[in-house]
Amino acid sequence: MTVPAKMIVLNILQQVAVRPLRKETRIDTQLNIEALVNNSLLKGIMVNLSLEGCLLSAKKEENVVITKDDTITFAITDRALSDITSIKGIVCNIKSSLTIYYFGVKFEDESYDVIKNLLIKVMFSN
């Protein structure tokens, strides 16, 4: 009798497909926002931005109940972007950490021009 040989068997794939997570690139931001959702005021931060959506964050102490498919309207409160006053979207997903809620928002079509203007200002400002 002999000790069995150590062996590893690999199955090599014939092809690999790459799929992007999102349709568009997200630009990292740290813009202060005030939002109205479910008749409650929420203060938070826009974490990233694309032409179709964004990620918002808020501290859990804000005590606002937000669920998927809620309509959200928000404005940028940073002084340099104070003309961005009415962005509308739908909450697509909600995640949380110990102290922060994260809300994925898909913009409504009526906010397209406002978002386009915001993207230009964010990308080309110092």
Side-chain angles (χ1 to χ4, degrees):
M1 294 189 84
T2 61
V3 176
K6 295 180 181 177
M7 201 177 358
I8 185 167
V9 178
L10 299 175
N11 184 9
I12 299 174
L13 299 174
Q14 297 300 316
Q15 75 185 87
V16 176
V18 177
R19 293 190 181 110
L21 182 61
R22 295 185 172 94
K23 291 180 188 175
E24 299 194 10
T25 302
R26 295 255 174 141
I27 297 168
D28 291 334
T29 61
Q30 287 296 309
L31 303 175
N32 294 307
I33 59 118
E34 283 187 355
L36 184 64
V37 61
N38 297 329
N39 295 320
S40 298
L41 187 64
L42 171 74
K43 292 184 180 185
I45 295 174
M46 180 186 288
V47 178
N48 63 39
L49 170 69
S50 76
L51 196 54
E52 291 189 8
C54 69
L55 179 65
L56 305 178
S57 70
K59 293 181 180 176
K60 283 189 174 181
E61 60 199 37
E62 287 288 333
N63 295 327
V64 176
V65 177
I66 298 178
T67 58
K68 187 177 176 187
D69 297 326
D70 282 346
T71 299
I72 186 167
T73 304
F74 61 95
I76 308 296
T77 58
D78 290 352
R79 189 174 285 176
L81 298 169
S82 61
D83 60 326
I84 310 295
T85 57
S86 184
I87 300 170
K88 294 183 180 182
I90 303 292
V91 176
C92 294
N93 61 52
I94 303 167
K95 295 182 181 176
S96 66
S97 67
L98 290 175
T99 59
I100 299 175
Y101 286 117
Y102 294 97
F103 310 102
V105 176
K106 182 179 186 315
F107 299 130
E108 293 184 353
D109 291 339
E110 64 190 66
S111 295
Y112 178 80
D113 291 333
V114 175
I115 296 304
K116 191 168 126 181
N117 184 29
L118 177 59
L119 273 168
I120 290 168
K121 288 182 178 186
V122 168
M123 288 192 308
F124 297 109
S125 67
N126 290 337

